[in-house]
């Protein structure tokens, strides 16, 4: 019932000329250690972090503003905007709107910046050959 596990492939930072990453393992999988060490993969992660972390921080600040006003700004949040809609309801609905805006911004960012880099890494890894 035990399964033999092969040891990890040695990390090779050098690429075979014209063949993408360092090669394939025994079972035909790409050399994931070489992919992770590659400058193309590093660039991909850097681009992703440059979008995700600032956007997450911005959304967290926006959410905490809503939460703090809800907890401590009763006068402001109960202020009527129109009809029976008050600032609290409006801020709550704007949470959904801001989430959708972030999704749409990320989709455009991924189409322009992330997906071409992923395609490049996949090509160098030989994942498109299968």
């Amino acid at each position: 019932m035990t399964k033999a596990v092969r040891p990890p492939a040695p990390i090779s930072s050098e690429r075979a000329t014209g063949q993408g990453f360092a090669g394939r393992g025994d079972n035909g999988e790409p050399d994931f250690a070489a992919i992770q060490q590659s400058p193309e993969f590093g660039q991909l992660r850097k681009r992703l972090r440059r979008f995700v972390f600032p956007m997450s921080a911005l959304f967290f600040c926006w959410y905490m503003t809503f939460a703090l006003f809800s907890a401590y700004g009763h006068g402001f949040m109960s202020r009527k905007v129109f009809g029976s809609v008050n600032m609290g309801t409006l801020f709550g609905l704007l949470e959904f709107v801001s989430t959708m805006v972030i999704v749409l911004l990320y989709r455009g960012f991924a189409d322009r910046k992330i997906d071409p880099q992923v395609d490049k890494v996949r090509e160098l890894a030989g994942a498109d050959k299968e």
Side-chain angles (χ1 to χ4, degrees), residues 51-62 102:
F51 180 86
V52 170
F53 287 130
M55 194 60 67
S56 297
L58 183 67
F59 182 78
F60 180 73
C61 290
W62 161 241
I102 290 171

Side-chain angles (χ1 to χ4, degrees), residues 66-101:
F66 171 63
L68 290 172
F69 271 130
S70 296
Y72 301 109
H74 297 288
F76 175 74
M77 293 298 263
S78 63
R79 203 176 282 167
K80 298 282 184 190
V81 177
F82 58 88
S84 61
V85 176
N86 60 17
M87 290 300 287
T89 304
L90 194 60
F91 269 45
L93 291 173
L94 285 175
E95 288 291 326
F96 291 104
V97 172
S98 65
T99 301
M100 290 307 300
V101 167

